Amino acid sequence: MSDIDTINNGCPLCTNIKRLEAYLLAPDEVIFFDWLTIKQSAIFGYKTFYYPFHRIHKETRIKRCSLDRIIKRFEAIGILTTETRQKPNEVGRTKYYRMNFAEVVKRLPEIIDCNHESAKSFKAYFNALARMQTKAERGKLQPSVSEQRTDINSTNLYNTLVETYKQRIARYNAGQVTADIPTRKKTPTQLTRNRSINNRLGMLSERYNEDSVKMAFIAYCDAILTGKDNVKAVHNIMTYFLTYDEVEDCFTVVDTFLAYFQQNYSYQS
């Protein structure tokens, strides 16, 4: 392939200069505006969403002081609402975001140059987003293919963990986990399942194959059943197993027990 063909076959640069000319916003405001638009519509299905600052910075390279200024401006013109509140079923508070696409349509003259050649496509695009957002908030929007797939993966993984939990209790009661048959038998209880756990299961299924998660859960269940110090105070089996570190972007408990399984279990376990 010649150099001309390589150049003509696609530009890898991230910024469309022609579209950038249409914006009346500062460059960092453009980046955050586009980031919010994609997150609100394509990633979170038009629902209010929470996102930690360190991840916004990692994805946009916008510094905290600049982000605070941009958020205040977007809130002032009504295209964005934010609220700091408790995360569902978790410890800690974080900022929730909601991009108001209907208001974006009204405020387009403050966001883009209405005389630019891209103005009509901008208006059509955000009008469509506004209609989709209204349908979503009224509960009439069908889940996307990716959302349906994530829900299926979450259900399948949850069912696998339930069966694994029952099997480990049966092995424990039969004396196959400890050296002796325990004098007090364990009874399997219902494993918690809620929206937060579903979301975590979906995330987990995207990062690990089912066998790896099952191996980690086997070691985790055995540690709970035998009263190991690091898990004997666990109040909710699923919530603790799905502990997610937002700073490191990892499932710390899963990683710990997967490593433990690899070091201490034979394949037959």
Side-chain angles (χ1 to χ4, degrees):
M1 183 181 291
S2 69
D3 289 342
I4 293 177
D5 290 335
T6 299
I7 293 170
N8 290 337
N9 279 339
C11 174
L13 301 180
C14 68
T15 305
N16 184 313
I17 299 299
K18 292 299 293 182
R19 292 196 190 122
L20 182 61
E21 289 177 349
Y23 278 101
L24 300 177
L25 305 175
D28 55 356
E29 294 174 339
V30 171
I31 291 171
F32 191 56
F33 179 84
D34 286 5
W35 182 91
L36 281 171
T37 299
I38 296 302
K39 292 293 182 185
Q40 182 79 77
S41 59
I43 307 301
F44 292 101
Y46 303 94
K47 299 172 185 175
T48 299
F49 64 96
Y50 66 85
Y51 223 82
F53 166 73
H54 74 271
R55 291 187 64 189
I56 298 176
H57 173 68
K58 181 179 179 181
E59 294 174 17
T60 66
R61 306 298 192 272
I62 300 175
K63 294 182 179 180
R64 184 59 178 263
C65 57
S66 297
L67 183 63
D68 289 341
R69 169 183 55 78
I70 296 169
I71 288 173
K72 287 179 181 179
R73 183 186 176 192
F74 286 0
E75 286 180 317
I77 64 175
I79 65 174
L80 177 67
T81 55
T82 66
E83 181 183 359
T84 301
R85 63 176 190 254
Q86 185 78 29
K87 291 187 286 185
N89 304 298
E90 296 180 37
V91 177
R93 296 170 65 82
T94 192
K95 191 181 288 291
Y96 281 71
Y97 299 87
R98 179 185 179 274
M99 188 84 157
N100 187 335
F101 291 122
E103 198 63 30
V104 169
V105 174
K106 295 178 184 177
R107 296 287 189 164
L108 271 181
E110 299 175 49
I111 299 170
I112 64 165
D113 179 359
C114 292
N115 294 319
H116 193 273
E117 61 187 35
S118 299
K120 287 185 178 180
S121 61
F122 268 97
K123 188 171 183 178
Y125 178 73
F126 282 102
N127 268 318
L129 291 182
R131 290 191 293 270
M132 294 290 283
Q133 187 173 45
T134 299
K135 290 179 181 178
E137 291 176 343
R138 289 176 180 173
K140 295 180 180 180
L141 191 64
Q142 294 296 319
S144 67
V145 172
S146 62
E147 288 175 327
Q148 293 177 23
R149 184 172 60 249
T150 298
D151 191 53
I152 291 171
N153 291 343
S154 298
T155 298
N156 291 341
L157 188 53
Y158 175 81
N159 290 337
T160 296
L161 298 184
V162 168
E163 288 305 311
T164 302
Y165 179 55
K166 291 178 181 178
Q167 291 167 9
R168 299 319 289 181
I169 288 180
R171 289 175 62 86
Y172 173 82
N173 289 339
Q176 297 173 341
V177 175
T178 55
D180 302 309
I181 296 177
T183 55
R184 299 185 64 179
K185 306 292 186 182
K186 302 286 188 181
T187 302
T189 56
Q190 178 70 40
L191 296 181
T192 305
R193 188 178 185 190
N194 52 39
R195 183 178 298 175
S196 177
I197 285 173
N198 264 354
N199 291 339
R200 292 290 169 86
L201 288 171
M203 291 171 61
L204 199 61
S205 68
E206 293 174 357
R207 300 182 183 215
Y208 303 83
N209 61 48
E210 188 174 295
D211 285 342
S212 295
V213 178
K214 184 176 179 179
M215 290 173 186
F217 198 64
I218 286 173
Y220 173 70
C221 288
D222 289 353
I224 292 174
L225 292 169
T226 56
K228 295 288 177 60
D229 288 341
N230 56 337
V231 293
K232 66 182 181 182
V234 169
H235 297 293
N236 188 304
I237 293 173
M238 290 295 285
T239 299
Y240 186 73
F241 182 68
L242 297 170
T243 299
Y244 174 68
D245 186 327
E246 292 182 341
V247 175
E248 297 297 330
D249 190 25
C250 67
F251 288 89
T252 52
V253 176
V254 173
D255 288 345
T256 297
F257 282 98
L258 181 57
Y260 185 84
F261 182 95
Q262 292 167 341
Q263 293 170 5
N264 297 280
Y265 283 69
S266 66
Y267 182 78
Q268 287 77 16
S269 292

